[in-house]
Amino acid sequence: LLHKHGAGLLLLTGLQWVISVADWMLIVLLQIVVFDLTQSAFNIMLLVICELIPMLLFGAWAGAVADRTDLKRVLVWACVARLFIILALLLPAMRGQLIPILAIAALAATCNRFFVPGASALLPSLVSADRLPAANAIIMAARMSGMAIGTLLAGVLASHYGHVLAVVVIGVLLLIASVLCVLLPSSHVKREQADEVGIWRDLRTAVSRYGASLILPMTASMLVMLALGSFEILALVYVVQVLERPPADVGLLFGAYG
């Protein structure tokens, strides 16, 4: 399938893999930094909440924005903005206080809310409808393998080489992702302009028309995210307090999960 549909699908698959590695490196690294700083499971919970709130606040709106703008532009800006946000972690003052770390987590998650729908919307323009399920499977496999590698890599780098090198690697990955976004083929799907049909009007229409049918999948999605957040908190506490291992070893558990 990758060979048949050429460079477009290959680039998108590579982009999804790189972003997944960077995403999960950041998730694990921020938890390690917060726990090293505060030794508090409550603060890890605050970190997870800061990562989840942008999904609730901007998820639907970001998707509507992606539908009305150039998808490549959305992806590029999402990666570049996240790159500059992550580079703030190179400053000792930013890594040494809880509030800046929480702010960085929330801002990075906000950028990701725009990246996810943009990358998903680009796929149908790269493959035919009958190949779409297979292409989605390839993308998901790339993201899950990136998750496993990213969590392991964050744990190894943070425990053996320090937080700074881990931040640098995440920055390099986001830079690579930005380049891949630029190289992606443009979508040929005609998109409505934001000034023709209001974004909020479309959101209200979608909720009124499909609201009842969306309750179950949205509830299931929220339960999954809450379960994953709980696992993140308990895993870090278990590694440190029960196994008496350094916080960075939580990356091994997340790698097994991936």
Side-chain angles (χ1 to χ4, degrees):
L1 184 63
L2 289 173
H3 175 73
K4 180 177 180 179
H5 289 277
L9 181 58
L10 183 61
L11 285 170
L12 183 60
T13 302
L15 173 63
Q16 292 278 26
W17 184 83
V18 170
I19 283 294
S20 182
V21 174
D23 281 345
W24 283 95
M25 280 192 69
L26 180 64
I27 288 173
V28 174
L29 177 63
L30 289 179
Q31 292 182 5
I32 293 170
V33 172
V34 169
F35 199 81
D36 283 343
L37 182 65
T38 66
Q39 300 293 312
S40 169
F42 177 79
N43 289 329
I44 299 296
M45 180 194 70
L46 292 180
L47 176 65
V48 173
I49 291 174
C50 287
E51 293 168 341
L52 293 179
I53 285 178
M55 178 184 296
L56 297 175
L57 295 181
F58 304 113
W61 184 71
V65 170
D67 279 341
R68 288 161 175 76
T69 54
D70 181 76
L71 293 178
K72 283 181 59 175
R73 186 180 304 172
V74 172
L75 297 178
V76 170
W77 280 109
C79 290
V80 171
R82 190 161 26 170
L83 171 60
F84 283 101
I85 292 168
I86 299 307
L87 290 180
L89 288 171
L90 293 175
L91 302 174
M94 301 298 287
R95 298 195 311 274
Q97 301 180 60
L98 179 62
I99 299 300
I101 294 174
L102 298 180
I104 288 173
L107 290 173
T110 300
C111 294
N112 196 40
R113 284 305 90 209
F114 287 88
F115 177 89
V116 170
S120 299
L122 187 60
L123 182 58
S125 69
L126 300 178
V127 298
S128 57
D130 61 318
R131 298 286 185 176
L132 194 56
N136 272 314
I138 292 174
I139 295 294
M140 183 55 67
R143 290 195 63 85
M144 293 306 294
S145 64
M147 173 185 176
I149 293 173
T151 53
L152 286 171
L153 190 57
V156 170
L157 291 179
S159 60
H160 295 286
Y161 302 101
H163 300 161
V164 172
L165 181 58
V167 173
V168 171
V169 171
I170 295 172
V172 171
L173 289 171
L174 290 173
L175 181 60
I176 294 173
S178 301
V179 174
L180 291 175
C181 290
V182 174
L183 295 176
L184 283 170
S186 298
S187 173
H188 299 294
V189 178
K190 186 178 180 180
R191 298 183 176 277
E192 299 178 17
Q193 297 298 320
D195 55 353
E196 293 180 1
V197 180
I199 291 176
W200 295 110
R201 184 188 307 169
D202 274 9
L203 289 175
R204 289 194 298 268
T205 300
V207 170
S208 63
R209 183 176 301 174
Y210 305 109
S213 61
L214 292 175
I215 292 176
L216 182 58
M218 290 182 65
T219 302
S221 178
M222 289 302 303
L223 290 175
V224 169
M225 296 305 299
L226 288 174
L228 181 57
S230 300
F231 174 77
E232 293 173 8
I233 297 168
L234 294 175
L236 190 53
V237 175
Y238 182 83
V239 166
V240 175
Q241 297 184 359
V242 178
L243 300 182
E244 297 182 348
R245 300 288 299 174
D249 281 358
V250 75
L252 299 176
L253 282 179
F254 279 101
Y257 174 81

